[in-house]
Amino acid sequence: MTQNEDITASAALIKASTYTVVFTGAGISVESGIPPFRGHGGIWRHNDPSCLTMRYFRQQPKKSWETIRKLFYDLIATAQPNGAHRAIADLEKRGHVNSVITQNIDGLHQKAGSQTVYEYHGTIKKLVCIECFHPVESHSIDFSALPPVCPECGGILKPDFVFFGETIPKKITDLCSGEAHYADVMIVIGTSGSVKPASMIPFAAKRAGATIIEVNTEPSAYTRQITDIFLKGGATNVLTRMVDMIIDNRQGLS
Ligand code: NAD
């Protein structure tokens, strides 16, 4: 099949679906200027991932925060949603997407207008005190003095996203398991499928009977194992073409 035929088939599946869940990773935000962790241009090629462990954070909070500020806050604060984020928000508005589960912490799905977004790894938008757990909005923090401290108790503030080795809160894992179970189509976009336990979500959806449509520039851990339709390419290009087909009645999909 040509890619155009694959996109047409995907559009038909999404139109016929009663519950479609989108699962995204760092790749969807690459076209917004945010590099992924791995692969070409990946963050960990030039930075030390140990800054994102709780052990290092507690021992060297200033050093850890300097890397976190550079990698996440300087870059992500100014990033804007791209065509793929907007296409997904558009599909939700039109009733073709029920929810988004994202591994990303950048908030770009919400910025694009998506309403039902499960942030599996948390968000950069909030910080939380590691002593008293007081939550603070990131925009209220002056990042010129590091580490930022809690206005309530003076403890160190940590970004409200999970560090390596931290446990994902049960509430979010339960919600996402439910979404995987309900889905009859899951669109998996821009994820290598190498970060557990998040990477297990598409496998759970497949076991529960979902059709897996994957969008990625490269094959991933899912492609050979569970993907039903693989759409190779940049997320914006593929998603905007798919939306055009879904909303264009001349394609005979309505
Ligand atoms: P990853 O870095 O392991 O893999 C990125 C994937 O995106 C790869 O499979 C790559 O082929 C694909 N890709 C690259 N450019 C693409 C494009 N234009 N269109 C479609 N696909 C593209 O990312 P991951 O699987 O999400 O796992 C890494 C972890 O990194 C996640 O837990 C996530 O929380 C975190 N992370 C988040 C951000 C962010 O919030 N934007 C950025 C970096 C890392």
Side-chain angles (χ1 to χ4, degrees):
M1 286 232 274
T2 65
Q3 188 176 64
N4 225 29
E5 287 167 339
D6 279 340
I7 294 180
T8 306
S10 303
L13 281 165
I14 292 163
K15 282 204 93 169
S17 165
T18 53
Y19 206 92
T20 295
V21 176
V22 177
F23 178 71
T24 64
I28 194 171
S29 295
V30 165
E31 290 164 279
S32 292
I34 304 171
F37 275 174
R38 298 168 192 79
H40 180 70
I43 285 172
W44 301 139
R45 290 207 169 178
H46 307 288
N47 296 281
D48 179 5
S50 63
C51 73
L52 285 189
T53 61
M54 276 316 284
R55 186 190 167 105
Y56 186 83
F57 186 79
R58 284 181 187 278
Q59 285 170 349
Q60 305 269 4
K62 188 171 185 325
K63 268 190 170 175
S64 181
W65 256 110
E66 280 166 358
T67 312
I68 291 167
R69 178 177 62 188
K70 178 182 80 169
L71 291 183
F72 298 104
Y73 287 88
D74 289 352
L75 201 65
I76 293 178
T78 55
Q80 294 302 320
N82 60 49
H85 296 105
R86 288 193 295 272
I88 294 164
D90 189 18
L91 287 178
E92 184 186 10
K93 211 165 91 188
R94 292 169 186 276
H96 294 301
V97 159
N98 297 80
S99 68
V100 178
I101 300 172
T102 188
Q103 298 167 83
N104 297 342
I105 56 173
D106 55 33
L108 292 182
H109 284 295
Q110 294 93 325
K111 235 181 184 175
S114 287
Q115 300 289 316
T116 306
V117 181
Y118 299 102
E119 294 176 304
Y120 199 85
H121 288 148
T123 174
I124 64 156
K125 282 198 198 136
K126 278 195 214 136
L127 307 179
V128 65
C129 176
I130 62 171
E131 302 301 333
C132 73
F133 306 107
H134 179 68
V136 180
E137 295 292 325
S138 304
H139 64 73
S140 67
I141 293 294
D142 173 10
F143 287 106
S144 61
L146 294 178
V149 292
C150 176
E152 294 292 313
C153 76
I156 292 168
L157 292 170
K158 168 192 176 289
D160 194 14
F161 56 73
V162 289
F163 280 17
F164 292 124
E166 274 194 295
T167 305
I168 312 286
K170 188 173 180 320
K171 189 177 167 194
I172 189 82
T173 58
D174 285 352
L175 283 167
C176 293
S177 296
E179 292 302 295
H181 192 78
Y182 298 140
D184 49 25
V185 171
M186 181 170 275
I187 313 171
V188 177
I189 308 167
T191 175
S192 61
S194 55
V195 178
K196 278 188 179 168
S199 60
M200 303 315 289
I201 292 169
F203 288 104
K206 181 76 178 180
R207 274 198 306 277
T211 300
I212 308 293
I213 298 168
E214 184 181 8
V215 181
N216 201 313
T217 49
E218 304 294 333
S220 73
Y222 306 112
T223 314
R224 292 179 66 141
Q225 292 198 64
I226 56 166
T227 297
D228 295 290
I229 302 181
F230 182 65
L231 301 170
K232 185 172 165 53
T236 294
N237 179 286
V238 173
L239 266 291
T240 49
R241 284 163 63 200
M242 194 191 285
V243 170
D244 284 349
M245 285 198 191
I246 289 171
I247 64 178
D248 183 353
N249 289 336
R250 283 170 301 171
Q251 299 291 330
L253 297 168
S254 58

